[in-house]
Amino acid sequence: AQTVTQSQPEMSVQEAETVTLSCTYDTSESDYYLFWYKQPPSRQMILVIRQEAYKQQNATENRFSVNFQKAAKSFSLKISDSQLGDAAMYFCAYRSDSGGSNYKLTFGKGTLLTVNP
Amino acid sequence: KAGVTQTPRYLIKTRGQQVTLSCSPISGHRSVSWYQQTPGQGLQFLFEYFSETQRNKGNFPGRFSGRQFSNSRSEMNVSTLELGDSALYLCASSLRLAGGPVGELFFGEGSRLTVL
């Protein structure tokens, strides 16, 4: 079974600075997707960024980018120019691309990000 | 386009009771997944429904069940509630073609269940 580990329960960053959230995963599969989701205090989970394992290029969405290291099974999220609205719980998630397991996400335990003004 | 709507947002039950939670997916989405979120266990997959059929189920006891209607709305039911069932129950909808993978998940705000 796949596992996702987020080793940083909490992180803090000053507004306008950069922060990196870590995520490692364990899988024997070669085809899969990785995601970062954000859950603000209002609780609605929002997709921040996704990465297909077959793509070597790291995904980028505005101020959010990832560092995907397939061999190391590492998938970190970098938030540049942090804003107060970035404060939330961030979850790293894995989804298999194989027919038998492509229906669910496996989540890490989350990292609570605080943004200080 | 309206997002995923879950009702009720908050509810309090006592041990032994049962509860039904509702989820209306984004229009056009035929797949509805349910997740349980607790501080200790994190987010865990409950089940997924597609075209009114449960396609996949997580590792939860039979007290947890669900169904999906022809309009893709879904309900989940928990019978004989236990204290440990206190959690945030999240519903997510996605576009999914028959036989294809679950696509990007769009989550609702969740239903917070407290069992006393």
Side-chain angles (χ1 to χ4, degrees), chain B residues 22-43:
Chain B
S22 178
C23 173
S24 293
I26 291 172
S27 177
H29 287 191
R30 296 169 62 192
S31 170
V32 174
S33 302
W34 289 89
Y35 287 79
Q36 182 196 63
Q37 185 177 15
T38 60
Q41 298 298 318
L43 283 145

Side-chain angles (χ1 to χ4, degrees), chain A residues 35 37 50 95 102 105, chain B residues 31 93-96 100-106:
Chain A
F35 307 86
Y37 278 87
R50 62 181 280 168
R95 199 203 83 202
N102 62 8
L105 295 180
Chain B
S31 170
S93 75
S94 69
L95 283 171
R96 188 202 219 264
V102 169
E104 177 183 341
L105 295 184
F106 293 83

Side-chain angles (χ1 to χ4, degrees), chain A residues 14-86:
Chain A
Q14 291 297 125
E15 198 175 1
E17 295 193 343
T18 296
V19 64
T20 299
L21 308 184
S22 301
C23 172
T24 58
Y25 58 95
D26 187 26
T27 184
S28 58
E29 300 177 328
S30 57
D31 298 322
Y32 50 87
Y33 291 79
L34 295 165
F35 307 86
W36 279 98
Y37 278 87
K38 169 185 177 181
Q39 188 178 39
S42 68
R43 306 182 317 193
Q44 187 165 30
M45 297 263 285
I46 304 167
L47 179 65
V48 175
I49 199 165
R50 62 181 280 168
Q51 174 79 43
E52 293 87 343
Y54 65 86
K55 289 186 177 179
Q56 292 186 336
Q57 187 172 6
N58 289 323
T60 300
E61 287 288 342
N62 300 314
R63 298 182 295 106
F64 299 86
S65 62
V66 298
N67 183 2
F68 173 49
Q69 301 290 328
K70 190 172 184 179
K73 297 179 183 175
S74 170
F75 182 61
S76 61
L77 174 69
K78 185 171 82 171
I79 306 174
S80 303
D81 186 25
S82 297
Q83 301 175 359
L84 295 177
D86 295 334

Side-chain angles (χ1 to χ4, degrees), chain B residues 58-106:
Chain B
N59 188 26
F60 279 82
R63 300 185 297 106
F64 291 81
S65 63
R67 57 178 174 168
Q68 186 179 35
F69 302 94
S70 59
N71 62 357
S72 295
R73 189 177 72 85
S74 177
E75 289 181 347
M76 68 163 282
N77 183 275
V78 188
S79 63
T80 318
L81 284 166
E82 301 176 0
L83 295 178
D85 297 333
S86 295
L88 180 66
Y89 290 88
L90 293 170
C91 165
S93 75
S94 69
L95 283 171
R96 188 202 219 264
L97 300 177
V102 169
E104 177 183 341
L105 295 184
F106 293 83

